[in-house]
């Protein structure tokens, strides 16, 4: 690889950060059952410890996304504890995810629930989550709603939209300067007839209505098959409304498979649209890159390392596109030439350059190998297996 390209890769990796989810280290499963891993994290402290390993081995994941219901058993009172875990394990708290889908009250929805008392409870939980984020000095509050309906005629879709508008706006009032509300969308599941925020357009309208600190969050798994996700990314960038990503891969629906395991070219194309935008606009896009994956078959820490390394590789490949030449080829409608710029960048083996970058940062050249040799997995398996064996695994 020529030195100019290696240099581009080093610079790109220097600024590339990706957040890992606390829930990716705990035991999870399918809707049919949980498959217990003896090494899975059983406490928030253990999640921080595992996240700290991923960051220590990659140097690319300084923050961990937290879910309020699962990681803050005492709400705002848990903040000092989280601070101490962050200190101890070398990873900071990142985005704060309110949980508006698990409590029994939310059977018929949260912000879209016909019962005003439940809507008020959902808003209060969101406000508490914003206060938690403030206490932790983290920027993003990331909202995903399971709200929707399963059968035609059972929900007033327009009325629910108004409730969403009203409550998101109220939540926005609570934000401090610099904080952001990220609004995630999902076409279906758990609701199978209609979802209140089903696509990027709905999320965009709601975020706009809420206020200037609300942006859209794109979870790559939350699209119908064949959807052109990079076009959505390009439009959101053009509207200055792209707040962040939840990265994962999918084959059918919200599969939460390891990033790039099915379609690495799509992730490359997403990164390309972002870098092309930055080149053209001469602006740095302010996007939170986050992983939203929870593996029940692969080892949790291994899968997370695999994901981070894949994200770095695809980002490095995307930074090899020569934007000036691409723009010229697009202007002259030289289709084959334009497409070839992308294909050549994608086909480039960036791994040696990434290893050089890792060497310069003092992290292992192969994070996965280093993890396997570290003895960490054996240690936590021993420490946690008794507790994990008591975990409930049945679906019904
Ligand atoms: C949803 C969505 C959210 C995540 C939950 C657990 O499908 O992707 O971002 O918090 O799952
Ligand atoms: Mn998500
Ligand atoms: Mn999801």
């Amino acid at each position: 690889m020529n030195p100019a390209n290696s240099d581009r890769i080093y610079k790109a990796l220097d600024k590339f950060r990706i957040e890992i989810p606390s829930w990716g280290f705990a035991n999870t499963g399918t809707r049919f059952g949980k498959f217990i891993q003896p090494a899975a994290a059983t406490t928030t402290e253990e999640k921080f410890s595992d996240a700290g390993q991923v960051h220590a081995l990659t140097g690319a994941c300084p923050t961990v996304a937290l879910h309020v219901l699962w990681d803050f058993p005492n709400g705002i009172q848990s903040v000092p504890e989280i601070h101490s875990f962050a200190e101890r394990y070398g990873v900071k708290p990142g985005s704060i995810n309110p949980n508006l889908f698990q409590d029994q009250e939310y059977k018929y929805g949260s912000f879209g629930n016909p019962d005003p008392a439940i809507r008020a409870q959902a808003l209060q939980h969101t406000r508490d989550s914003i206060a938690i984020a403030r206490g932790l000095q983290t920027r993003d509050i990331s909202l995903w709603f399971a709200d929707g309906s399963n059968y035609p005629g059972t929900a007033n879709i327009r009325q629910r939209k108004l409730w969403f508008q009203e409550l998101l706006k109220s939540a926005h009032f609570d934000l401090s300067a610099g904080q952001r509300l990220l609004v995630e969308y999902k076409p279906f599941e758990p609701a199978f007839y209609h979802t209140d925020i089903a696509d990027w357009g709905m999320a965009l309208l709601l975020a706009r209505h809420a206020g200037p600190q609300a942006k859209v969050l794109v979870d790559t798994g939350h699209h119908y098959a064949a959807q052109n996700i990079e076009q959505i990314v390009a439009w959101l960038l053009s509207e200055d409304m792209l707040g962040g990503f939840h990265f994962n891969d999918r084959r059918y629906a919200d599969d939460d498979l390891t990033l790039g395991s099915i379609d690495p070219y799509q992730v490359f194309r997403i990164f390309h649209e972002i870098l092309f935008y930055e080149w053209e606009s001469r602006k740095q896009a302010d996007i939170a890159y986050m992983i939203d994956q929870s593996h029940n078959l692969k080892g949790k820490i291994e899968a997370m390392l695999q994901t981070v390394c894949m994200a770095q590789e695809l980002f490095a490949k995307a930074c090899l596109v020569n934007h000036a030449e691409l723009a010229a080829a697009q202007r002259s409608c030289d289709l084959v030439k334009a497409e070839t710029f992308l294909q050549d960048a994608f086909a480039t083996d960036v791994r040696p350059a990434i290893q050089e970058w890792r060497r310069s940062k003092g992290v292992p050249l192969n994070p996965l190998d280093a993890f396997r040799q570290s003895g960490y997995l054996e240690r936590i398996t021993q420490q946690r297996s008794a507790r994990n064996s008591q975990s409930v695994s049945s679906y019904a």
Side-chain angles (χ1 to χ4, degrees), residues 177-206:
Q179 282 191 309
R180 305 191 305 175
L181 269 191
L182 302 182
V183 182
E184 186 171 350
Y185 57 90
K186 179 169 176 171
F188 66 91
E189 198 215 17
F192 292 108
Y193 170 63
H194 105 280
T195 292
D196 283 297
I197 313 181
D199 66 25
W200 70 277
M202 298 179 197
L204 172 73
L205 286 176
L206 288 172

Side-chain angles (χ1 to χ4, degrees), residues 177-386:
Q179 282 191 309
R180 305 191 305 175
L181 269 191
L182 302 182
V183 182
E184 186 171 350
Y185 57 90
K186 179 169 176 171
F188 66 91
E189 198 215 17
F192 292 108
Y193 170 63
H194 105 280
T195 292
D196 283 297
I197 313 181
D199 66 25
W200 70 277
M202 298 179 197
L204 172 73
L205 286 176
L206 288 172
R208 277 251 164 84
H209 188 272
Q213 289 162 245
K215 304 278 170 189
V216 177
L217 184 140
V218 177
D219 183 314
T220 47
H222 293 190
H223 300 91
Y224 290 116
Q227 176 104 48
N228 184 335
I229 302 175
E230 62 269 28
Q231 181 182 7
I232 295 172
V233 168
W235 275 59
L236 289 173
L237 282 167
S238 155
E239 293 289 325
D240 192 21
M241 287 302 284
L242 180 60
F245 283 95
H246 272 177
F247 278 128
N248 50 62
D249 213 335
R250 45 80 52 75
R251 181 77 180 86
Y252 297 101
D254 190 24
D255 308 334
D256 286 348
L257 300 178
T258 320
L259 184 72
S261 58
I262 305 291
D263 188 358
Y265 194 38
Q266 173 157 86
V267 185
F268 166 89
R269 296 190 308 262
I270 289 172
F271 285 142
H272 163 65
E273 284 304 330
I274 294 166
L275 295 171
F276 193 31
Y277 161 85
E278 289 185 339
W279 172 79
E280 214 165 44
S281 66
R282 295 193 176 78
K283 277 192 239 155
Q284 170 94 41
D286 188 6
I287 304 168
Y289 294 126
M290 301 174 266
I291 297 168
D292 186 3
Q293 294 171 189
S294 192
H295 301 276
N296 43 43
L297 300 176
K298 284 179 173 174
K300 287 164 189 303
I301 300 174
E302 286 195 358
M304 214 54 84
L305 288 167
Q306 201 186 18
T307 303
V308 175
C309 295
M310 176 61 79
Q312 287 179 311
E313 255 182 57
L314 295 168
F315 192 73
K317 283 172 189 274
C319 87
L320 295 179
V321 174
N322 184 320
H323 298 124
E325 286 180 348
L326 176 67
Q330 289 181 346
R331 270 195 307 275
S332 60
C333 294
D334 193 336
L335 311 187
V336 171
K337 194 171 177 188
E339 187 190 17
T340 305
F341 285 128
L342 262 66
Q343 290 178 332
D344 283 348
F346 184 64
T348 308
D349 185 2
V350 293
R351 288 171 298 184
I354 295 179
Q355 290 204 343
E356 270 317 304
W357 177 81
R358 289 194 177 124
R359 196 192 309 278
S360 76
K361 299 290 160 194
V363 295
L365 304 194
N366 184 328
L368 197 52
D369 275 356
F371 173 69
R372 288 184 172 158
Q373 283 156 28
S374 69
Y376 182 84
L377 185 61
E378 291 72 14
R379 201 163 61 245
I380 59 170
T381 304
Q382 220 179 28
Q383 288 165 353
R384 302 175 187 173
S385 59

Side-chain angles (χ1 to χ4, degrees), residues 49-118:
S49 172
D50 295 355
Q53 286 296 305
V54 175
H55 180 46
L57 292 165
T58 60
C61 315
T63 57
V64 51
L66 300 168
H67 239 288
V68 174
L69 200 66
W70 305 329
D71 297 321
F72 295 82
N74 304 312
I76 192 115
Q77 317 294 354
S78 298
V79 164
E81 184 180 75
I82 295 288
H83 272 306
S84 74
F85 298 154
E87 188 80 12
R88 195 167 321 150
Y89 298 104
V91 266
K92 292 201 169 72
S95 64
I96 298 301
N97 294 252
N99 190 312
L100 297 162
F101 50 87
Q102 198 178 290
D103 289 345
Q104 292 303 312
E105 291 85 335
Y106 299 135
K107 183 171 178 183
Y108 300 116
S110 60
F111 278 25
N113 196 302
D115 183 339
I118 295 174

Side-chain angles (χ1 to χ4, degrees), residues 7-26:
D7 204 50
R8 287 170 86 115
I9 292 180
Y10 302 155
K11 290 208 176 92
L13 293 181
D14 275 346
K15 66 170 191 183
F16 186 73
R17 296 281 172 274
I18 191 160
E19 183 164 302
I20 37 186
S22 72
W23 54 97
F25 299 106

